Amino acid sequence: GESVGLHLPTLSVQEGDNSIINCAYSNSASDYFIWYKQESGKGPQFIIDIRSNMDKRQGQRVTVLLNKTVKHLSLQIAATQPGDSAVYFCAEPIIFGKGTRLHILP
Amino acid sequence: NAGVTQTPKFQVLKTGQSMTLQCAQDMNHNSMYWYRQDPGMGLRLIYYSASEGTTDKGEVPNGYNVSRLNKREFSLRLESAAPSQTSVYFCASSESWTAGNTIYFGEGSWLTVV
């Protein structure tokens, strides 16, 4: 069936470096994607979204890239900070992937 | 403005017991959702209500029932709890369930079935 999945369950990044979190989707008809951030003990929170008529969207320190040809999207976080430690989910838009845990190394 | 409020936050049940998780939102949203989150499984959609008066099955509806009591409230009921239903449950809402609408989540309800 259709699914939204992530490539890596855990990602460790040095503080100050850029982070890239990937997500693959299988439904070629999907036209809207959202990235969420979930901190420990809390519910997921919206980070950024992108529609299928776009290839790139930028927010504050975050960028989402969408490659419809290979059905892949990524979340880039610039200058990663300790507060970025969390689990990140892509969603399509109400079906969620399994998540990637981002660890920030001092 | 509380957003999405769900109760209880923690609950321990014995196998076979029933319980209802309550959820309310104060954002005048049309759509509401119940998810469960297990380690390594991400968030899985149990049921959703696209609008008041409607409910639909999500990815993992077996063992659950829901009631959209009014526009504000959407409850999740476990009729006969099983250990496999030990999980963290999240209620959520959005203006609409279609594309372009951000989902807002509650803080979660930790349920243990022994």
Side-chain angles (χ1 to χ4, degrees):
Chain A
E2 306 294 349
S3 64
V4 178
L6 292 172
H7 291 303
L8 294 173
T10 305
L11 176 66
S12 295
V13 175
Q14 206 76 34
E15 182 179 349
D17 287 352
N18 296 335
S19 302
I20 300 176
I21 300 170
N22 297 304
C23 182
Y25 63 96
S26 56
N27 183 0
S28 57
S30 296
D31 62 358
Y32 182 63
F33 303 90
I34 308 175
W35 281 99
Y36 289 88
K37 174 185 180 182
Q38 185 179 26
E39 296 177 327
S40 182
K42 296 185 178 181
Q45 288 189 304
F46 172 91
I47 303 174
I48 192 168
D49 59 358
I50 189 167
R51 291 185 178 274
S52 60
N53 61 352
M54 303 170 70
D55 296 322
K56 179 180 180 179
R57 191 166 188 208
Q58 287 185 293
Q60 187 177 11
R61 279 202 309 118
V62 295
T63 300
V64 56
L65 300 178
L66 176 61
N67 186 330
K68 295 179 286 292
T69 301
V70 295
K71 291 184 283 188
H72 179 271
L73 67 159
S74 66
L75 177 70
Q76 301 179 1
I77 304 173
T80 309
Q81 302 169 358
D84 295 328
S85 289
V87 177
Y88 291 83
F89 295 95
C90 62
E92 191 194 352
I94 67 173
I95 302 299
F96 282 67
K98 292 185 179 180
T100 292
R101 181 173 298 280
L102 180 62
H103 286 293
I104 310 304
L105 303 172
Chain B
N1 190 339
V4 179
T5 304
Q6 52 182 112
T7 57
K9 192 166 180 69
F10 299 98
Q11 183 73 49
V12 178
L13 285 178
K14 293 182 179 179
T15 298
Q17 285 186 319
S18 62
M19 78 158 296
T20 299
L21 296 173
Q22 306 288 351
C23 176
Q25 51 91 8
D26 61 3
M27 296 174 281
N28 200 35
H29 284 168
N30 291 300
S31 301
M32 297 186 73
Y33 316 85
W34 275 105
Y35 291 86
R36 61 177 288 173
Q37 185 172 30
D38 305 302
M41 295 298 292
L43 287 150
R44 292 184 290 172
L45 182 64
I46 304 172
Y47 271 92
Y48 69 100
S49 170
S51 61
E52 185 179 358
T54 69
T55 61
D56 286 285
K57 296 179 180 179
E59 302 169 276
V60 289
N62 291 344
Y64 304 95
N65 286 301
V66 291
S67 296
R68 184 73 183 267
L69 305 170
N70 48 55
K71 191 172 186 180
R72 289 187 64 248
E73 298 173 289
F74 188 39
S75 63
L76 178 72
R77 183 161 178 83
L78 287 70
E79 291 290 352
S80 179
S84 61
Q85 294 178 303
T86 294
S87 188
V88 183
Y89 291 85
F90 287 97
C91 179
S93 71
S94 66
E95 188 169 334
S96 167
W97 73 286
T98 56
N101 290 276
T102 303
I103 298 175
Y104 296 87
F105 285 83
E107 291 293 291
S109 296
W110 274 253
L111 176 65
T112 302
V113 183
V114 297

